[in-house]
Amino acid sequence: MIPKLTSSKNRANLLDKFVSKGIRFIYRPKAVLLLLSGLAGGVLFSSCSSQPSRIIISSGDVGSYYYSLGQQIHNSTYATVKISVNNLQSQGSQQNLKRLLDHQADFAIAQLDVANKAMREGRVKAVAILANEYVHIIIRKDSGLKMFSDLQGKRVAVGNPGSGISFTAKRLLEADKLSVKQDNSDFDQAFKKLKSRQVDAVVYVGSLGASKNLRQQFVNNSELKLLPLEPALINSLTVFDPGSYQGAELPVGTYTSRPAIPDQKLPTLSTATVLVTRPEMDRRTVALVTWSILSTARNYSQFYPALQNEEPEILLRQGIFDIHPAAEEVFQRGDPRMALMHYWQHNSDLQAGVFILASTSILGILLRQWRRRRSQKMITTTATRINELKLLLPDHPQQALDGIEDLSQEHRLMFVEGTVTTEIYEQLRQKTQTFTDQCRRLLELQRKKFVMETLLLLDEWQATLQTNPEEALKKLSRIKQQYRDMLLSDQLDIEAYVELMQLTLISLITLVPKQYKNGTSYVKHD
């Protein structure tokens, strides 16, 4: 609703709404009126003539979670922008992504871990996050298996070769260095084999409780249970591939309440379900599809429960950097179809307010546009710098942390100086804070690893001290030199270096007196 023109504040608010559309005006009232009418009519005509009538989405098998998502996208696009969806059946994420890259589909539904590499390479762009998918490891209650690592040497159903389940299962096995007998049976066949003990476990990746087929398996087979993932495995994948995975929990009673399955909170991993397209895809098509999902976001809560309570503009793009520009614009500005004609026909206040536009300073309009473009450029530049720092993260996490903290300080100074708005600063802060947390987690893991390795070295040194004192002294010198080399090569910070040196000194002070008591005197001081 356009505000009444009874105050200067309302007139300014009305002007800001026009400026947000990116329209340039001239001073003459008649010219402005003609410009508005022509622009509204042209946009309306363009919308009717160029809007696509049909798109192709590669999803999943009939009855699967992905196929249901594809049907919901069709319901949304047809109801809001009159676009029909040809919902292609597939084996899952990997086949969907291949079809998209081979131009056999316009959009694809895929797990984020499957699409992440192509997104980093710039071959695909995200449109929206549609859900979070959780890793499920299903076993028989009488299998004797307690943790994921117990699957070593077992027979494990890892899904169809073209599925995202197969991709994630292999990542888990590689990360935990497990060797199993892989079975590529489809969903139904895998559970038949589990029931007949032809396989020991079934790997499934899907939205929490959204798969009716999985829920039915638990209802019909009381001998089934879920296996937890070890915290070390979860930490390994979330630290070294934070763009793909995050730690999660399967809540009690997700699939059945009596008996509760699972019967306790189970630690696991999750990856997002993302709708992706090619970068060169028609911008208007991407914008219309994005708007259809955003405007009907509550209908996706069956797949993404958080949409019931949180803002969809944030949730549907949370955690993704490589988003299609047309989709990003919709999340920021709303309906891509120009609503000016509608306002013009049904709001006398709008017509009365046209004269305000005639008296608006062109310089003021250009200044707002310049600030908007500069803010967008700053967000893009920040994302680029974070991507550059990500390359340092595996080998030089301290440098990456120093770099991201310097970037955060730059943003704070710009905010204090008033060169960026609160909204833009908050977006920048969220991006830098996420990466800062990743750096600190990795540094903490490395520090613990260094301490553990030092304890092992000291154990070995202590054993040598008992049998060969001279060799023990040589090893002590090598240990201290190793600490110095690690410090100089930035593999160790100064606090960890001091801690390790103190630990070595304590061990030396503790053991040397014992040697004197035994009647030996061979310790030299350096």
Side-chain angles (χ1 to χ4, degrees):
M1 182 68 183
I2 300 300
K4 295 292 183 181
L5 304 178
T6 54
S7 70
S8 59
K9 181 179 180 180
N10 284 342
R11 289 195 294 271
N13 290 339
L14 176 61
L15 178 58
D16 285 341
K17 288 188 177 182
F18 285 115
V19 172
S20 69
K21 301 293 184 182
I23 304 171
R24 293 182 175 86
F25 300 99
I26 56 178
Y27 281 102
R28 297 190 297 276
K30 290 184 179 180
V32 172
L33 185 59
L34 291 173
L35 176 62
L36 286 173
S37 301
L39 180 60
V43 169
L44 186 62
F45 176 79
S46 174
S47 175
C48 294
S49 62
S50 63
Q51 179 169 312
S53 59
R54 193 173 186 83
I55 59 173
I56 301 173
I57 293 180
S58 186
S59 59
D61 288 329
V62 174
S64 70
Y65 154 57
Y66 274 15
Y67 192 83
S68 299
L69 255 180
Q71 290 298 103
Q72 179 56 54
I73 294 173
H74 165 76
N75 296 339
S76 297
T77 57
Y78 194 76
T80 56
V81 293
K82 301 304 178 189
I83 296 177
S84 295
V85 171
N86 182 7
N87 193 6
L88 294 184
Q89 298 182 47
S90 83
Q91 293 181 345
S93 294
Q94 294 187 75
Q95 186 176 21
N96 292 342
L97 188 62
K98 186 177 186 304
R99 282 177 176 172
L100 178 67
L101 295 174
D102 291 343
H103 292 252
Q104 296 175 2
D106 302 313
F107 295 85
I109 301 173
Q111 292 173 194
L112 185 56
D113 58 346
V114 176
N116 206 8
K117 180 180 178 183
M119 291 174 66
R120 289 197 301 265
E121 294 172 351
R123 294 187 293 158
V124 300
K125 292 288 185 182
V127 176
I129 295 292
L130 300 178
N132 282 319
E133 299 188 49
Y134 293 71
V135 174
H136 302 64
I137 311 297
I138 304 106
I139 59 172
R140 294 175 60 90
K141 290 180 179 178
D142 59 1
S143 66
L145 302 173
K146 302 298 183 183
M147 298 296 288
F148 183 76
S149 57
D150 294 337
L151 294 178
Q152 174 68 29
K154 302 296 184 182
R155 299 159 299 179
V156 181
V158 296
N160 291 321
S163 67
I165 295 175
S166 174
F167 181 91
T168 304
K170 290 177 181 177
R171 291 292 299 275
L172 290 169
L173 295 171
E174 289 172 359
D176 218 22
K177 298 180 180 178
L178 297 184
S179 176
V180 303
K181 299 173 184 177
Q182 297 185 19
D183 183 291
N184 294 116
S185 299
D186 61 23
F187 182 90
D188 293 331
Q189 190 64 30
F191 277 93
K192 288 180 181 178
K193 289 185 176 182
L194 181 62
K195 187 175 182 180
S196 62
R197 303 179 189 276
Q198 292 177 269
V199 297
D200 300 295
V202 174
V203 179
Y204 175 79
V205 183
S207 176
L208 192 62
S211 173
K212 297 178 181 178
N213 292 339
L214 182 59
R215 185 184 300 274
Q216 199 60 43
Q217 288 292 340
F218 283 114
V219 171
N220 295 339
N221 301 288
S222 59
E223 71 276 11
L224 299 183
K225 64 177 290 188
L226 288 160
L227 199 65
L229 299 183
E230 291 93 332
L233 176 58
I234 295 173
N235 291 339
S236 175
L237 285 170
T238 54
V239 168
F240 290 102
D241 197 357
S244 297
Y245 301 105
Q246 52 187 319
E249 287 184 338
L250 292 175
V252 175
T254 298
Y255 291 98
T256 64
S257 56
R258 292 186 180 180
I261 298 178
D263 57 2
Q264 59 182 342
K265 290 182 179 180
L266 286 186
T268 187
L269 283 166
S270 70
T271 186
T273 305
V274 61
L275 182 67
V276 294
T277 189
R278 294 182 298 278
E280 70 275 12
M281 187 66 186
D282 176 65
R283 289 177 62 95
R284 183 163 180 78
T285 301
V286 175
L288 291 172
V289 170
T290 306
W291 171 246
S292 71
I293 294 172
L294 178 60
S295 61
T296 61
R298 296 294 182 266
N299 295 334
Y300 292 82
S301 60
Q302 57 179 313
F303 312 106
Y304 202 177
L307 286 170
Q308 287 283 11
N309 303 314
E310 297 187 35
E311 290 297 327
E313 293 87 348
I314 298 173
L315 209 58
L316 292 174
R317 59 174 169 168
Q318 187 171 353
I320 52 175
F321 287 114
D322 300 311
I323 191 168
H324 196 286
E328 179 66 32
E329 189 169 351
V330 169
F331 285 124
Q332 291 183 358
R333 298 187 181 182
D335 193 341
R337 299 166 297 179
M338 181 65 74
L340 185 57
M341 190 62 177
H342 172 77
Y343 283 132
W344 182 261
Q345 291 177 340
H346 299 284
N347 291 276
S348 58
D349 287 339
L350 175 63
Q351 299 173 34
V354 169
F355 78 93
I356 299 175
L357 303 177
S359 60
T360 300
S361 169
I362 295 177
L363 181 60
I365 296 173
L366 294 176
L367 181 60
R368 288 188 180 92
Q369 293 176 337
W370 175 76
R371 286 176 176 172
R372 188 181 301 115
R373 287 195 296 268
R374 186 183 62 175
S375 298
Q376 188 60 47
K377 182 178 179 181
M378 188 178 300
I379 293 174
T380 302
T381 301
T382 297
T384 300
R385 291 183 64 179
I386 291 175
N387 287 334
E388 292 172 352
L389 291 172
K390 282 183 178 180
L391 299 176
L392 291 173
L393 186 57
D395 299 322
H396 302 285
Q398 186 62 49
Q399 290 184 19
L401 179 61
D402 293 341
I404 197 65
E405 288 181 342
D406 290 342
L407 184 58
S408 299
Q409 182 62 22
E410 291 179 21
H411 295 162
R412 283 192 288 270
L413 292 175
M414 295 172 71
F415 178 65
V416 171
E417 294 171 356
T419 56
V420 296
T421 64
T422 302
E423 179 182 356
I424 297 300
Y425 173 72
E426 186 60 24
Q427 292 183 40
L428 297 173
R429 190 192 66 79
Q430 290 178 358
K431 291 179 183 292
T432 55
Q433 185 61 47
T434 298
F435 186 68
T436 299
D437 294 342
Q438 295 171 14
C439 294
R440 288 173 176 165
R441 285 197 298 269
L442 183 55
L443 281 170
E444 179 61 18
L445 287 174
Q446 287 191 351
R447 190 190 70 81
K448 292 179 179 179
K449 179 181 177 182
F450 292 147
V451 172
M452 182 59 69
E453 290 176 352
T454 298
L455 291 174
L456 293 175
L457 285 172
L458 289 175
D459 288 343
E460 181 183 357
W461 175 72
Q462 290 171 0
T464 306
L465 186 61
Q466 304 293 331
T467 59
N468 191 339
E470 293 183 1
E471 179 62 24
L473 289 175
K474 293 179 181 179
K475 283 189 176 183
L476 179 61
S477 297
R478 289 197 294 270
I479 290 172
K480 294 167 66 177
Q481 184 59 43
Q482 182 179 349
Y483 295 162
R484 295 189 186 99
D485 293 341
M486 293 168 69
L487 178 65
L488 294 175
S489 63
D490 199 30
Q491 297 180 23
L492 197 65
D493 60 37
I494 188 64
E495 294 180 1
Y497 172 78
V498 172
E499 181 179 349
L500 294 174
M501 291 298 291
Q502 289 175 344
L503 186 60
T504 304
L505 182 59
I506 290 171
S507 298
L508 180 62
I509 293 173
T510 303
L511 291 174
V512 167
K514 295 181 180 180
Q515 305 305 323
Y516 279 111
K517 290 178 183 179
N518 293 334
T520 58
S521 176
Y522 48 78
V523 176
K524 295 186 295 182
H525 298 278
D526 54 16

